[in-house]
Amino acid sequence: MMPLLRSKIISNFLWVAGFLLFGVSSAYSQQQLIEGTIIDAATKEPLMGVGVYLSGTSTGVVSGPDGEYSIKYDVEMKAPLVFAYLGYEKRTFENPLQVDLKLVQLQQQENELDAVVINPDPWDRETKERLFLDYFIGIRSLENCEILNLDDIRLRFNTDSKQMTATSRNPIIIVNKYLGYKIKYDLVEFEINFKFFKPTVGIERVFEVEHARENYLAENSFVSGTSFYQELESDKPNERRRIRRREKAFKISQLLLYRSFINKTLTENKFDLFHKGFKVNPADHYRSTVENGVYRLTFRNLKYSIVDRDNHQTDLFLSSNYIFMDSFGNNLSPREMMTSGYLPQLGVGGMLPLNYNLDK
């Protein structure tokens, strides 16, 4: 066997494929209707215009004049159902088929005062924005994506925990001009964890400044949230070009990789599996079985590499020998599998909704 040639990794961090739970509505699966009324929790008045969507998909509805809503949900789906309305606290139901949603009450948001900070943040806004864009949007997607409301995002570096975090009370609005998507992303968690790196002889004196950005090396990151995909209201790119670009992106996407894992079609979809630098037979290194309606992937080892058809390399780091996914390629064990290399460099900006291409 030929040893794996290590592809050049642009970033030097691990990126956790986090709680980007992308729900799916398929033509060939059984669907169940979820319907009810949405009201103000205090006044009991119906709320018109509430967004009701399946996280990570382009499937969503808006409540009517009497607060009524109706949406189809696949019985095999493991994605959250989200209720979002400007000025109100968002509500997310992880298992919507197991709860009564005939009457959904939304609480108005309370004005929050900024917390008193004991240890000051030494990093400037520009530095933290650059890091956030690299790790959230993805360094390979920055050219094609734009966040329309970057000022809504609070960014902070904690010198004690050596961690940078991000929060936003409003959905982050992402425009992907290349794939033709407008994404509303409700951020739940974002973190970049750093380690202090001691300067060596010859390093500039800036390293001597306490808590300077140059003193820290990113080790790993995690992002989670709910998202809703909409077609970009623009004729650029045109429909034919959008289809062509999306299909090209899908062939080397995380979405297809995860579906290939559960369906045992890595080879058919031109993903090569490597262990310790050597190409291996997937059937000898992992099993895919169904348990309680979800797929359990059991791996022989905790570290592998994937090379796609375009020779992009992604390294997989498992904290357990098994992880769970649903039948739509949705990772239900986000913190149990971390990745570095190509796929995390695509970030949220390079994601496709999980209902993409499912009818094929």
Side-chain angles (χ1 to χ4, degrees):
M1 293 180 291
M2 294 295 294
L4 172 63
L5 297 177
R6 306 294 292 180
S7 61
K8 183 178 181 181
I9 304 298
I10 295 179
S11 61
N12 57 1
F13 58 90
L14 300 178
W15 186 86
V16 182
F19 181 70
L20 306 175
L21 292 180
F22 294 152
V24 181
S25 176
S26 67
Y28 56 81
S29 299
Q30 183 179 355
Q31 294 179 334
Q32 183 170 322
L33 189 67
I34 300 176
E35 55 187 347
T37 303
I38 308 169
I39 64 172
D40 184 298
T43 67
K44 309 304 179 184
E45 293 293 323
L47 296 177
M48 176 182 177
V50 178
V52 184
Y53 62 89
L54 309 182
S55 177
T57 73
S58 55
T59 300
V61 297
V62 175
S63 61
D66 297 323
E68 74 281 358
Y69 77 94
S70 175
I71 190 169
K72 292 181 179 180
Y73 193 94
D74 196 291
V75 297
E76 297 181 0
M77 191 174 299
K78 306 299 177 184
L81 180 63
V82 181
F83 295 79
Y85 193 46
L86 187 63
Y88 285 76
E89 299 289 345
K90 182 189 67 174
R91 295 198 67 182
T92 302
F93 295 90
E94 304 295 339
N95 301 294
L97 296 180
Q98 299 177 15
V99 294
D100 186 355
L101 295 176
K102 291 185 176 61
L103 185 65
V104 178
Q105 302 186 56
L106 298 185
Q107 297 273 2
Q108 292 191 31
Q109 288 181 343
E110 297 181 1
N111 292 326
E112 291 183 345
L113 298 177
D114 291 337
V116 177
V117 178
I118 298 176
N119 54 333
D121 183 349
W123 293 359
D124 59 57
R125 173 77 184 188
E126 182 181 359
T127 295
K128 290 179 290 188
E129 280 188 1
R130 185 168 62 251
L131 284 164
F132 179 77
L133 292 173
D134 284 349
Y135 284 72
F136 179 72
I137 293 296
I139 57 177
R140 286 182 178 266
S141 302
L142 285 175
E143 183 180 351
N144 300 313
C145 295
E146 178 185 5
I147 294 180
L148 301 184
N149 58 336
L150 190 58
D151 290 341
D152 287 346
I153 303 170
R154 297 181 180 180
L155 303 168
R156 185 169 188 274
F157 175 70
N158 187 307
T159 55
D160 290 340
S161 62
K162 301 180 182 63
Q163 183 183 81
M164 194 189 101
T165 58
T167 59
S168 178
R169 297 207 67 183
N170 299 320
I172 299 173
I173 309 300
I174 307 164
V175 171
N176 187 325
K177 296 170 287 186
Y178 183 78
L179 297 178
Y181 286 122
K182 181 179 180 181
I183 307 168
K184 294 182 178 180
Y185 193 94
D186 280 292
L187 188 65
V188 175
E189 289 183 86
F190 177 87
E191 63 186 49
I192 308 174
N193 297 295
F194 297 86
K195 71 175 180 180
F196 184 82
F197 123 65
K198 297 180 180 179
T200 58
V201 177
I203 301 295
E204 296 180 6
R205 293 185 61 84
V206 69
F207 286 95
E208 299 177 6
V209 179
E210 186 178 12
H211 302 309
R213 166 67 183 96
E214 291 81 359
N215 286 338
Y216 292 87
L217 181 67
E219 287 191 300
N220 57 69
S221 67
F222 182 79
V223 59
S224 70
T226 61
S227 55
F228 179 57
Y229 285 74
Q230 296 174 291
E231 291 290 333
L232 191 59
E233 295 180 359
S234 169
D235 57 356
K236 293 182 180 180
N238 59 42
E239 184 177 359
R240 181 178 299 179
R241 184 169 294 177
R242 287 188 189 191
I243 293 173
R244 186 166 62 248
R245 288 178 176 179
R246 291 174 184 178
E247 187 61 26
K248 180 180 179 180
F250 177 67
K251 291 178 179 179
I252 53 176
S253 67
Q254 175 180 289
L255 178 57
L256 182 59
L257 174 62
Y258 287 178
R259 288 183 187 174
S260 300
F261 268 126
I262 64 175
N263 295 317
K264 306 175 187 177
T265 55
L266 286 174
T267 302
E268 291 87 334
N269 290 323
K270 299 184 179 180
F271 289 108
D272 291 328
L273 184 68
F274 288 81
H275 177 60
K276 292 185 176 180
F278 291 88
K279 184 176 178 180
V280 296
N281 181 6
D284 294 335
H285 281 262
Y286 89 96
R287 296 195 307 272
S288 175
T289 57
V290 179
E291 293 185 5
N292 299 319
V294 298
Y295 285 84
R296 172 172 170 155
L297 302 180
T298 305
F299 293 87
R300 286 181 55 185
N301 302 287
L302 296 180
K303 184 177 179 180
Y304 289 95
S305 295
I306 294 288
V307 175
D308 64 29
R309 66 180 67 204
D310 289 346
N311 206 35
H312 299 128
Q313 181 176 326
T314 300
D315 296 320
L316 309 180
F317 301 85
L318 305 172
S319 60
S320 172
N321 287 97
Y322 59 88
I323 61 173
F324 293 92
M325 295 184 182
D326 68 17
S327 57
F328 307 101
N330 187 15
N331 183 11
L332 306 177
S333 306
R335 284 195 179 267
E336 274 69 54
M337 184 167 71
M338 296 189 295
T339 62
S340 70
Y342 179 73
L343 287 180
Q345 292 164 13
L346 291 177
V348 174
M351 292 285 187
L352 291 163
L354 276 190
N355 57 341
Y356 176 79
N357 213 34
L358 200 63
D359 55 343
K360 297 181 181 180

